[in-house]
């Protein structure tokens, strides 16, 4: 078994990792999965409470999806998507148009979230150039945003850890301070406020609207910055502002789509429809890479014409419209509908939230427990009264993660924010194990270290 680990370290460069850490914390080689559980080659098991980077909606090795893969593989696995199509892609597109906000009537396929973001940015810019809006060459985004790690996606991100070294290569974007409901400068509460923090967005748009092609946002939750949850009023105001100043609204639902926030899409909390919606991760229940960009007839029609007019959107990916991935996504959406996943998640999400709040209430290093739908996050702080964060160099979250792994819980932190975003098949006993093991790990860390 050690041979696999040695070969991994010899050949593989892992993502989002400082490989030197692997000298002491070796890679865990997973052999199989079932439901919320992962099993390694040594027979240990781990509850996957982060859905393997937020992708797995219906559990590992889901029997219905397994059958859908087998059936599709016996027909066609992939075919060029230019001038050709396949039945699963057509079925999926029809389903997506039915369940997404009304404005979204066209589906453009790609293979990962960063690419979807790039496509939406390019479409918005290209649309404005063809409409004669030649000053609209910039994009507005929020601080603490995360939209992927290709150069265009990094340009509209706001987390320096990912982008600072690449700044000479990035697009010139406009950054607006993001909502920070835990440390709200207006002293408001996200559940009752009128999104007073929107003032910064409004001021920037009024000043720069003539050169803004699109505003891109993670609706309701800024994921990678620590599951920062904000008011739906912010989204309502943003949609109105974009309409007023002829600016496209891009909703990056890659992480928050498909039920994570308690509704099918995060935009549903505000009852708004963006001009572009980027979808990935949960679209294939964590089985295969795929993404889509959904947009309106108005934008689609701008690219429609004779070939010699050079209006076509000549963007392509080899695996666009992959038949296997589309068949999985179709079955995923069937399960959502037939098993009433969104409604059935309500009891589970309340249990996760309430158990977490109960364990956290007397713990002095926990500043906030925040929750929306199937997401519950725990922010660790040095001082609960001042909300002073731990310095990044202490790596508090990472050390707790290592303790939790030994206890059978895959709990990968976002800095000093621990969070639960489990597959929807999790049961009550597994929820109790997840929450209690997390807090047992927190307690063990602070007991063994001096703060």
């Amino acid at each position: 078994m050690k041979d696999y680990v040695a070969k991994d370290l010899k050949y593989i460069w892992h993502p989002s990792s400082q490989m030197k850490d692997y000298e002491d914390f070796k890679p865990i080689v997973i052999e199989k999965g079932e439901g919320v559980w992962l099993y390694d080659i040594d027979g240990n098991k781990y509850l996957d409470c982060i859905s393997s980077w937020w992708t797995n909606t219906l559990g590992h090795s889901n029997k219905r999806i397994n059958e859908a893969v087998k059936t599709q593989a016996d027909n066609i696995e992939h075919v060029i998507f230019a001038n050709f199509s396949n039945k699963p892609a057509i079925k999926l597109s029809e389903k997506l148009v039915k369940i997404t906000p009304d404005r979204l009537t066209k589906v453009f396929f790609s293979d990962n979230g960063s690419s979807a973001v790039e496509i939406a940015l390019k479409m918005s810019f290209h649309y404005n150039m063809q409409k004669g809006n030649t000053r609209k060459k910039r994009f507005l985004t929020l601080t603490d945003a995360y939209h992927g790690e290709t150069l265009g996606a990094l340009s509209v991100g706001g987390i320096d850890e990912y982008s600072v070294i690449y700044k000479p290569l990035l697009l010139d974007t406009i950054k607006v301070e993001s909502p920070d409901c835990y440390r709200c400068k207006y002293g408001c509460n996200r559940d009752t406020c009128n999104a007073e923090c929107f003032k910064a967005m409004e001021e920037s748009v009024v000043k720069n609207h003539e050169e803004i092609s699109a505003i891109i946002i993670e609706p309701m939750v800024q994921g990678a910055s620590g599951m920062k949850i904000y008011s739906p009023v912010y989204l309502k105001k943003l949609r109105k502002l974009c309409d007023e100043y002829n600016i496209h609204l891009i909703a990056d639902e890659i992480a928050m789509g498909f039920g994570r926030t308690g509704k099918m899409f995060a935009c549903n909390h505000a009852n708004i429809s963006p001009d572009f919606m980027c979808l990935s991760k949960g679209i294939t229940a964590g089985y295969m890479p795929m993404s889509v960009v959904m947009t309106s007839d108005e934008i689609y029609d701008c690219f429609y014409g004779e070939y010699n007019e050079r209006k076509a959107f000549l963007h392509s990916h080899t695996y666009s419209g992959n038949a296997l991935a589309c068949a999985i996504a179709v079955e995923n959406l069937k399960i959502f509908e037939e098993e009433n996943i969104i409604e059935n998640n309500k009891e589970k999400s309340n249990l996760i939230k309430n158990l977490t709040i109960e364990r956290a209430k007397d713990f002095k290093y926990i500043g906030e427990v925040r929750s929306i739908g199937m997401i519950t996050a725990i922010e660790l702080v040095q001082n609960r009264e001042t909300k002073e964060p731990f310095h990044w160099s202490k790596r508090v979250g990472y050390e707790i993660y290592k303790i939790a792994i030994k206890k059978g819980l895959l709990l990968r932190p976002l800095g000093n924010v621990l969070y639960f975003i489990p597959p929807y098949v999790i049961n009550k006993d597994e929820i109790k194990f997840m929450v209690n093991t997390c807090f047992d790990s927190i307690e063990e860390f602070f007991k063994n270290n001096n703060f």
Side-chain angles (χ1 to χ4, degrees):
M1 299 302 180
K2 291 181 180 178
D3 189 46
Y4 281 105
V5 174
K7 288 183 177 180
D8 178 287
L9 292 173
K10 182 177 180 180
Y11 299 116
I12 296 176
W13 190 346
H14 287 267
S16 292
S17 300
Q18 170 48 259
M19 292 303 298
K20 193 175 189 305
D21 287 344
Y22 286 57
E23 293 175 7
D24 301 318
F25 190 33
K26 306 296 183 186
I28 298 166
V29 183
I30 297 300
E31 188 162 39
K32 66 176 183 177
E34 183 177 356
V36 298
W37 296 97
L38 298 168
Y39 298 83
D40 71 19
I41 55 177
D42 295 316
N44 302 307
K45 69 175 186 177
Y46 313 88
L47 194 150
D48 183 5
C49 75
I50 61 161
S51 297
S52 290
W53 261 341
W54 321 347
T55 65
N56 191 292
T57 53
L58 302 174
H60 298 282
S61 195
N62 182 284
K63 288 182 171 55
R64 283 186 59 172
I65 295 182
N66 289 353
E67 287 303 315
V69 173
K70 294 170 187 175
T71 300
Q72 186 58 42
D74 284 337
N75 289 294
I76 181 67
E77 73 299 330
H78 181 63
V79 63
I80 182 175
F81 211 55
N83 215 55
F84 283 78
S85 192
N86 59 77
K87 290 194 285 187
I90 296 166
K91 291 177 182 177
L92 175 60
S93 298
E94 183 179 27
K95 283 182 175 289
L96 289 173
V97 169
K98 285 181 179 178
I99 66 173
T100 51
D102 290 345
R103 191 185 305 235
L104 305 174
T105 55
K106 297 296 182 184
V107 182
F108 193 95
F109 284 90
S110 189
D111 53 15
N112 67 83
S114 296
S115 294
V117 167
E118 300 258 356
I119 289 165
L121 297 175
K122 286 177 66 177
M123 281 183 176
S124 174
F125 171 82
H126 197 158
Y127 170 94
N128 276 308
M129 294 306 102
Q130 295 191 155
K131 286 290 187 179
N133 303 323
T134 55
R135 291 191 62 190
K136 288 184 172 289
K137 298 178 180 179
R138 301 178 73 191
F139 301 100
L140 186 150
T141 185
L142 294 175
T143 59
D144 292 335
Y146 178 85
H147 298 289
E149 295 177 30
T150 52
L151 290 177
L154 280 177
S155 297
V156 292
I159 302 176
D160 280 349
E161 187 173 0
Y162 298 107
S163 62
V164 66
I165 192 67
Y166 306 110
K167 282 190 176 179
L169 303 177
L170 303 183
L171 301 173
D172 177 25
T173 57
I174 301 166
K175 296 287 194 297
V176 169
E177 185 178 16
S178 66
D180 188 352
C181 296
Y182 175 44
R183 297 177 176 86
C184 179
K185 63 171 62 176
Y186 297 94
C188 298
N189 183 295
R190 68 171 67 87
D191 296 323
T192 56
C193 72
N194 193 39
E196 283 78 2
C197 57
F198 190 75
K199 180 181 178 182
M201 173 67 76
E202 188 170 30
E203 288 176 350
S204 185
V205 169
V206 170
K207 178 182 177 181
N208 301 295
H209 66 91
E210 291 183 352
E211 55 181 333
I212 299 172
S213 180
I215 298 172
I216 183 168
I217 194 168
E218 299 162 89
M220 295 302 298
V221 184
Q222 289 190 298
S225 65
M227 298 297 170
K228 291 173 62 178
I229 302 165
Y230 60 92
S231 169
V233 176
Y234 193 99
L235 293 177
K236 291 179 180 180
K237 288 184 173 182
L238 183 58
R239 176 68 274 181
K240 183 179 179 181
L241 190 67
C242 287
D243 287 339
E244 182 178 353
Y245 286 100
N246 192 30
I247 295 170
H248 292 141
L249 176 58
I250 302 172
D252 178 353
E253 293 255 10
I254 290 162
M256 297 304 144
F258 302 98
R260 291 298 184 192
T261 65
K263 294 184 182 290
M264 195 61 168
F265 302 104
C267 283
N268 297 149
H269 287 275
N271 293 316
I272 65 161
S273 180
D275 300 288
F276 300 91
M277 181 180 279
C278 302
L279 301 173
S280 191
K281 290 190 182 289
I283 195 170
T284 58
Y287 266 67
M288 286 189 71
M290 189 174 77
S291 66
V292 303
V293 177
M294 300 193 64
T295 192
S296 65
D297 282 338
E298 178 192 355
I299 290 166
Y300 172 84
D301 289 343
C302 184
F303 294 85
Y304 199 88
E306 298 297 332
Y307 201 87
N308 60 13
E309 294 179 88
R310 297 180 179 269
K311 297 172 70 173
F313 187 63
L314 300 179
H315 183 109
S316 64
H317 286 268
T318 302
Y319 286 96
S320 295
N322 177 264
L324 278 171
C326 289
I328 291 167
V330 169
E331 189 64 21
N332 180 31
L333 292 178
K334 283 182 181 178
I335 295 170
F336 263 84
E337 182 178 355
E338 293 169 10
E339 299 185 12
N340 203 12
I341 296 293
I342 303 294
E343 185 64 29
N344 290 338
N345 279 349
K346 290 180 179 178
E347 183 179 356
K348 296 177 182 181
S349 63
N350 284 331
L351 179 59
I352 295 169
K353 178 178 70 174
N354 292 336
L355 286 175
T356 303
I357 291 172
E358 180 63 28
R359 287 286 314 251
K361 64 182 181 181
D362 297 321
F363 202 90
K364 68 177 183 178
Y365 291 115
I366 293 178
E368 183 184 44
V369 173
R370 45 186 176 264
S371 181
I372 183 171
M374 287 294 283
I375 303 169
T376 295
I378 304 160
E379 181 158 348
L380 301 169
V381 294
Q382 286 198 93
N383 186 300
R384 180 182 275 186
E385 299 303 317
T386 65
K387 303 179 182 179
E388 181 185 358
F390 285 104
H391 191 269
W392 66 270
S393 63
K394 292 185 181 294
R395 306 189 75 191
V396 173
Y398 178 72
E399 295 301 325
I400 293 170
Y401 159 60
K402 291 197 294 183
I403 294 170
I405 282 287
K406 294 177 182 177
K407 298 178 184 292
L409 184 67
L410 171 50
L411 182 74
R412 187 176 176 89
L414 296 161
N416 293 316
V417 175
L418 308 172
Y419 64 95
F420 308 125
I421 183 169
Y424 304 150
V425 296
I426 194 169
N427 62 39
K428 290 183 180 179
D429 288 338
E430 290 164 341
I431 288 172
K432 291 175 183 178
F433 172 83
M434 176 179 73
V435 175
N436 288 328
T437 303
C438 173
F439 278 92
D440 291 346
S441 301
I442 295 172
E443 289 178 354
E444 182 175 326
F445 171 78
F446 283 104
K447 181 179 178 182
N448 295 336
N449 292 272
N450 296 319
F451 283 92

mmCIF file of all heavy atoms in Angstrom, residues 291-319:
data_model
loop_
_atom_site.group_PDB
_atom_site.id
_atom_site.type_symbol
_atom_site.label_atom_id
_atom_site.label_comp_id
_atom_site.label_asym_id
_atom_site.label_seq_id
_atom_site.Cartn_x
_atom_site.Cartn_y
_atom_site.Cartn_z
ATOM 1 N N SER A 291 -19.430 22.013 -17.463
ATOM 2 C CA SER A 291 -20.008 23.296 -17.081
ATOM 3 C C SER A 291 -20.878 23.799 -18.211
ATOM 4 O O SER A 291 -20.750 23.348 -19.358
ATOM 5 C CB SER A 291 -18.914 24.317 -16.755
ATOM 6 O OG SER A 291 -18.166 24.647 -17.906
ATOM 7 N N VAL A 292 -21.763 24.723 -17.862
ATOM 8 C CA VAL A 292 -22.565 25.391 -18.884
ATOM 9 C C VAL A 292 -22.649 26.874 -18.544
ATOM 10 O O VAL A 292 -22.528 27.268 -17.384
ATOM 11 C CB VAL A 292 -23.996 24.811 -19.015
ATOM 12 C CG1 VAL A 292 -23.972 23.333 -19.306
ATOM 13 C CG2 VAL A 292 -24.829 25.110 -17.787
ATOM 14 N N VAL A 293 -22.844 27.670 -19.576
ATOM 15 C CA VAL A 293 -23.205 29.078 -19.417
ATOM 16 C C VAL A 293 -24.589 29.241 -20.023
ATOM 17 O O VAL A 293 -24.805 28.902 -21.191
ATOM 18 C CB VAL A 293 -22.211 30.015 -20.121
ATOM 19 C CG1 VAL A 293 -22.671 31.467 -19.998
ATOM 20 C CG2 VAL A 293 -20.821 29.851 -19.535
ATOM 21 N N MET A 294 -25.506 29.749 -19.234
ATOM 22 C CA MET A 294 -26.857 29.994 -19.727
ATOM 23 C C MET A 294 -27.031 31.490 -19.940
ATOM 24 O O MET A 294 -26.535 32.308 -19.160
ATOM 25 C CB MET A 294 -27.880 29.451 -18.734
ATOM 26 C CG MET A 294 -27.722 27.955 -18.517
ATOM 27 S SD MET A 294 -29.120 27.218 -17.671
ATOM 28 C CE MET A 294 -30.437 27.493 -18.867
ATOM 29 N N THR A 295 -27.725 31.827 -20.999
ATOM 30 C CA THR A 295 -27.949 33.240 -21.296
ATOM 31 C C THR A 295 -29.290 33.430 -22.006
ATOM 32 O O THR A 295 -30.076 32.479 -22.143
ATOM 33 C CB THR A 295 -26.773 33.826 -22.100
ATOM 34 O OG1 THR A 295 -26.886 35.241 -22.142
ATOM 35 C CG2 THR A 295 -26.715 33.263 -23.514
ATOM 36 N N SER A 296 -29.536 34.633 -22.468
ATOM 37 C CA SER A 296 -30.856 35.012 -22.982
ATOM 38 C C SER A 296 -30.920 34.975 -24.503
ATOM 39 O O SER A 296 -29.905 34.967 -25.197
ATOM 40 C CB SER A 296 -31.188 36.429 -22.508
ATOM 41 O OG SER A 296 -30.273 37.355 -23.089
ATOM 42 N N ASP A 297 -32.136 35.012 -24.991
ATOM 43 C CA ASP A 297 -32.338 35.113 -26.444
ATOM 44 C C ASP A 297 -31.725 36.411 -26.982
ATOM 45 O O ASP A 297 -31.172 36.423 -28.089
ATOM 46 C CB ASP A 297 -33.834 35.101 -26.769
ATOM 47 C CG ASP A 297 -34.426 33.699 -26.708
ATOM 48 O OD1 ASP A 297 -33.667 32.721 -26.834
ATOM 49 O OD2 ASP A 297 -35.654 33.589 -26.518
ATOM 50 N N GLU A 298 -31.835 37.477 -26.221
ATOM 51 C CA GLU A 298 -31.306 38.761 -26.677
ATOM 52 C C GLU A 298 -29.803 38.667 -26.959
ATOM 53 O O GLU A 298 -29.321 39.157 -27.994
ATOM 54 C CB GLU A 298 -31.562 39.849 -25.631
ATOM 55 C CG GLU A 298 -30.995 41.207 -26.033
ATOM 56 C CD GLU A 298 -30.987 42.209 -24.903
ATOM 57 O OE1 GLU A 298 -31.506 41.898 -23.817
ATOM 58 O OE2 GLU A 298 -30.449 43.312 -25.106
ATOM 59 N N ILE A 299 -29.068 38.062 -26.064
ATOM 60 C CA ILE A 299 -27.621 37.939 -26.254
ATOM 61 C C ILE A 299 -27.318 36.941 -27.371
ATOM 62 O O ILE A 299 -26.471 37.198 -28.231
ATOM 63 C CB ILE A 299 -26.945 37.552 -24.921
ATOM 64 C CG1 ILE A 299 -27.020 38.759 -23.975
ATOM 65 C CG2 ILE A 299 -25.499 37.109 -25.146
ATOM 66 C CD1 ILE A 299 -26.705 38.477 -22.554
ATOM 67 N N TYR A 300 -28.024 35.823 -27.390
ATOM 68 C CA TYR A 300 -27.849 34.828 -28.454
ATOM 69 C C TYR A 300 -28.086 35.454 -29.829
ATOM 70 O O TYR A 300 -27.303 35.246 -30.775
ATOM 71 C CB TYR A 300 -28.819 33.676 -28.212
ATOM 72 C CG TYR A 300 -28.909 32.663 -29.318
ATOM 73 C CD1 TYR A 300 -28.012 31.605 -29.419
ATOM 74 C CD2 TYR A 300 -29.926 32.750 -30.280
ATOM 75 C CE1 TYR A 300 -28.116 30.666 -30.429
ATOM 76 C CE2 TYR A 300 -30.037 31.819 -31.289
ATOM 77 C CZ TYR A 300 -29.129 30.782 -31.367
ATOM 78 O OH TYR A 300 -29.237 29.855 -32.383
ATOM 79 N N ASP A 301 -29.134 36.244 -29.957
ATOM 80 C CA ASP A 301 -29.491 36.820 -31.260
ATOM 81 C C ASP A 301 -28.426 37.781 -31.776
ATOM 82 O O ASP A 301 -28.281 37.962 -32.991
ATOM 83 C CB ASP A 301 -30.836 37.559 -31.156
ATOM 84 C CG ASP A 301 -32.009 36.602 -31.005
ATOM 85 O OD1 ASP A 301 -31.840 35.395 -31.296
ATOM 86 O OD2 ASP A 301 -33.091 37.057 -30.563
ATOM 87 N N CYS A 302 -27.669 38.385 -30.876
ATOM 88 C CA CYS A 302 -26.623 39.321 -31.287
ATOM 89 C C CYS A 302 -25.503 38.629 -32.063
ATOM 90 O O CYS A 302 -24.805 39.253 -32.854
ATOM 91 C CB CYS A 302 -26.057 40.023 -30.053
ATOM 92 S SG CYS A 302 -24.832 41.286 -30.419
ATOM 93 N N PHE A 303 -25.360 37.320 -31.851
ATOM 94 C CA PHE A 303 -24.303 36.553 -32.517
ATOM 95 C C PHE A 303 -24.822 35.785 -33.743
ATOM 96 O O PHE A 303 -24.064 35.059 -34.384
ATOM 97 C CB PHE A 303 -23.684 35.555 -31.527
ATOM 98 C CG PHE A 303 -22.942 36.212 -30.397
ATOM 99 C CD1 PHE A 303 -23.616 36.633 -29.262
ATOM 100 C CD2 PHE A 303 -21.573 36.421 -30.458
ATOM 101 C CE1 PHE A 303 -22.937 37.248 -28.211
ATOM 102 C CE2 PHE A 303 -20.883 37.023 -29.418
ATOM 103 C CZ PHE A 303 -21.569 37.444 -28.294
ATOM 104 N N TYR A 304 -26.086 35.966 -34.060
ATOM 105 C CA TYR A 304 -26.735 35.189 -35.120
ATOM 106 C C TYR A 304 -26.649 35.950 -36.439
ATOM 107 O O TYR A 304 -26.969 37.139 -36.491
ATOM 108 C CB TYR A 304 -28.206 34.963 -34.753
ATOM 109 C CG TYR A 304 -28.881 33.840 -35.488
ATOM 110 C CD1 TYR A 304 -28.832 32.548 -34.998
ATOM 111 C CD2 TYR A 304 -29.574 34.070 -36.671
ATOM 112 C CE1 TYR A 304 -29.466 31.505 -35.648
ATOM 113 C CE2 TYR A 304 -30.206 33.043 -37.339
ATOM 114 C CZ TYR A 304 -30.152 31.758 -36.822
ATOM 115 O OH TYR A 304 -30.772 30.730 -37.493
ATOM 116 N N GLY A 305 -26.201 35.290 -37.492
ATOM 117 C CA GLY A 305 -26.125 35.961 -38.791
ATOM 118 C C GLY A 305 -25.361 35.135 -39.795
ATOM 119 O O GLY A 305 -25.090 33.948 -39.590
ATOM 120 N N GLU A 306 -24.984 35.738 -40.899
ATOM 121 C CA GLU A 306 -24.194 35.065 -41.919
ATOM 122 C C GLU A 306 -22.751 34.911 -41.445
ATOM 123 O O GLU A 306 -22.217 35.764 -40.730
ATOM 124 C CB GLU A 306 -24.232 35.854 -43.227
ATOM 125 C CG GLU A 306 -25.613 36.007 -43.835
ATOM 126 C CD GLU A 306 -26.228 34.694 -44.226
ATOM 127 O OE1 GLU A 306 -25.460 33.741 -44.534
ATOM 128 O OE2 GLU A 306 -27.470 34.593 -44.226
ATOM 129 N N TYR A 307 -22.106 33.841 -41.855
ATOM 130 C CA TYR A 307 -20.756 33.562 -41.379
ATOM 131 C C TYR A 307 -19.790 34.679 -41.740
ATOM 132 O O TYR A 307 -18.903 35.048 -40.956
ATOM 133 C CB TYR A 307 -20.262 32.236 -41.962
ATOM 134 C CG TYR A 307 -19.137 31.634 -41.159
ATOM 135 C CD1 TYR A 307 -19.391 30.818 -40.068
ATOM 136 C CD2 TYR A 307 -17.805 31.915 -41.472
ATOM 137 C CE1 TYR A 307 -18.360 30.274 -39.319
ATOM 138 C CE2 TYR A 307 -16.766 31.377 -40.733
ATOM 139 C CZ TYR A 307 -17.052 30.559 -39.664
ATOM 140 O OH TYR A 307 -16.026 30.031 -38.918
ATOM 141 N N ASN A 308 -19.979 35.250 -42.937
ATOM 142 C CA ASN A 308 -19.046 36.295 -43.373
ATOM 143 C C ASN A 308 -19.244 37.613 -42.621
ATOM 144 O O ASN A 308 -18.466 38.556 -42.785
ATOM 145 C CB ASN A 308 -19.148 36.520 -44.882
ATOM 146 C CG ASN A 308 -20.535 36.944 -45.339
ATOM 147 O OD1 ASN A 308 -21.377 37.296 -44.529
ATOM 148 N ND2 ASN A 308 -20.778 36.899 -46.644
ATOM 149 N N GLU A 309 -20.272 37.696 -41.782
ATOM 150 C CA GLU A 309 -20.447 38.876 -40.936
ATOM 151 C C GLU A 309 -19.526 38.841 -39.714
ATOM 152 O O GLU A 309 -19.436 39.832 -38.987
ATOM 153 C CB GLU A 309 -21.898 38.975 -40.459
ATOM 154 C CG GLU A 309 -22.904 39.224 -41.574
ATOM 155 C CD GLU A 309 -24.324 39.297 -41.030
ATOM 156 O OE1 GLU A 309 -24.740 40.417 -40.650
ATOM 157 O OE2 GLU A 309 -25.001 38.250 -40.960
ATOM 158 N N ARG A 310 -18.899 37.683 -39.472
ATOM 159 C CA ARG A 310 -17.964 37.496 -38.349
ATOM 160 C C ARG A 310 -18.610 37.822 -37.002
ATOM 161 O O ARG A 310 -18.002 38.417 -36.123
ATOM 162 C CB ARG A 310 -16.702 38.349 -38.557
ATOM 163 C CG ARG A 310 -15.898 37.949 -39.783
ATOM 164 C CD ARG A 310 -14.666 38.817 -39.939
ATOM 165 N NE ARG A 310 -13.882 38.408 -41.115
ATOM 166 C CZ ARG A 310 -12.898 37.523 -41.085
ATOM 167 N NH1 ARG A 310 -12.565 36.945 -39.947
ATOM 168 N NH2 ARG A 310 -12.232 37.217 -42.188
ATOM 169 N N LYS A 311 -19.853 37.407 -36.869
ATOM 170 C CA LYS A 311 -20.561 37.632 -35.608
ATOM 171 C C LYS A 311 -20.540 36.407 -34.705
ATOM 172 O O LYS A 311 -20.911 36.482 -33.529
ATOM 173 C CB LYS A 311 -22.026 38.008 -35.907
ATOM 174 C CG LYS A 311 -22.188 39.308 -36.674
ATOM 175 C CD LYS A 311 -23.635 39.524 -37.099
ATOM 176 C CE LYS A 311 -24.529 39.813 -35.935
ATOM 177 N NZ LYS A 311 -25.901 40.179 -36.376
ATOM 178 N N ALA A 312 -20.134 35.263 -35.236
ATOM 179 C CA ALA A 312 -20.223 34.004 -34.481
ATOM 180 C C ALA A 312 -19.316 34.021 -33.253
ATOM 181 O O ALA A 312 -18.258 34.653 -33.243
ATOM 182 C CB ALA A 312 -19.854 32.831 -35.385
ATOM 183 N N PHE A 313 -19.747 33.318 -32.219
ATOM 184 C CA PHE A 313 -18.951 33.180 -30.995
ATOM 185 C C PHE A 313 -18.061 31.950 -31.167
ATOM 186 O O PHE A 313 -18.482 30.819 -30.931
ATOM 187 C CB PHE A 313 -19.872 33.031 -29.786
ATOM 188 C CG PHE A 313 -19.135 33.045 -28.468
ATOM 189 C CD1 PHE A 313 -18.416 34.157 -28.056
ATOM 190 C CD2 PHE A 313 -19.174 31.938 -27.629
ATOM 191 C CE1 PHE A 313 -17.746 34.176 -26.841
ATOM 192 C CE2 PHE A 313 -18.510 31.940 -26.407
ATOM 193 C CZ PHE A 313 -17.792 33.065 -26.019
ATOM 194 N N LEU A 314 -16.833 32.179 -31.584
ATOM 195 C CA LEU A 314 -15.934 31.072 -31.946
ATOM 196 C C LEU A 314 -15.106 30.631 -30.735
ATOM 197 O O LEU A 314 -13.887 30.760 -30.692
ATOM 198 C CB LEU A 314 -15.031 31.495 -33.104
ATOM 199 C CG LEU A 314 -15.762 31.884 -34.397
ATOM 200 C CD1 LEU A 314 -14.764 32.306 -35.463
ATOM 201 C CD2 LEU A 314 -16.630 30.732 -34.893
ATOM 202 N N HIS A 315 -15.814 30.109 -29.764
ATOM 203 C CA HIS A 315 -15.180 29.598 -28.545
ATOM 204 C C HIS A 315 -15.540 28.122 -28.440
ATOM 205 O O HIS A 315 -16.706 27.754 -28.569
ATOM 206 C CB HIS A 315 -15.706 30.362 -27.326
ATOM 207 C CG HIS A 315 -15.071 29.953 -26.032
ATOM 208 N ND1 HIS A 315 -14.193 30.763 -25.346
ATOM 209 C CD2 HIS A 315 -15.168 28.814 -25.308
ATOM 210 C CE1 HIS A 315 -13.788 30.148 -24.252
ATOM 211 N NE2 HIS A 315 -14.375 28.962 -24.202
ATOM 212 N N SER A 316 -14.553 27.274 -28.204
ATOM 213 C CA SER A 316 -14.868 25.845 -28.150
ATOM 214 C C SER A 316 -13.964 25.123 -27.168
ATOM 215 O O SER A 316 -12.853 25.561 -26.877
ATOM 216 C CB SER A 316 -14.710 25.201 -29.533
ATOM 217 O OG SER A 316 -13.358 25.265 -29.950
ATOM 218 N N HIS A 317 -14.470 24.006 -26.643
ATOM 219 C CA HIS A 317 -13.684 23.076 -25.836
ATOM 220 C C HIS A 317 -13.925 21.677 -26.388
ATOM 221 O O HIS A 317 -15.043 21.330 -26.780
ATOM 222 C CB HIS A 317 -14.097 23.139 -24.368
ATOM 223 C CG HIS A 317 -13.620 24.376 -23.671
ATOM 224 N ND1 HIS A 317 -12.426 24.434 -23.004
ATOM 225 C CD2 HIS A 317 -14.175 25.607 -23.561
ATOM 226 C CE1 HIS A 317 -12.261 25.644 -22.498
ATOM 227 N NE2 HIS A 317 -13.304 26.381 -22.828
ATOM 228 N N THR A 318 -12.895 20.879 -26.419
ATOM 229 C CA THR A 318 -12.989 19.545 -27.010
ATOM 230 C C THR A 318 -14.145 18.749 -26.422
ATOM 231 O O THR A 318 -14.868 18.059 -27.142
ATOM 232 C CB THR A 318 -11.668 18.778 -26.783
ATOM 233 O OG1 THR A 318 -10.596 19.527 -27.353
ATOM 234 C CG2 THR A 318 -11.729 17.399 -27.413
ATOM 235 N N TYR A 319 -14.330 18.847 -25.106
ATOM 236 C CA TYR A 319 -15.341 18.017 -24.449
ATOM 237 C C TYR A 319 -16.668 18.736 -24.230
ATOM 238 O O TYR A 319 -17.480 18.304 -23.411
ATOM 239 C CB TYR A 319 -14.780 17.469 -23.136
ATOM 240 C CG TYR A 319 -13.766 16.373 -23.374
ATOM 241 C CD1 TYR A 319 -12.409 16.655 -23.390
ATOM 242 C CD2 TYR A 319 -14.168 15.069 -23.621
ATOM 243 C CE1 TYR A 319 -11.473 15.670 -23.639
ATOM 244 C CE2 TYR A 319 -13.251 14.069 -23.870
ATOM 245 C CZ TYR A 319 -11.902 14.368 -23.873
ATOM 246 O OH TYR A 319 -10.976 13.376 -24.131
#
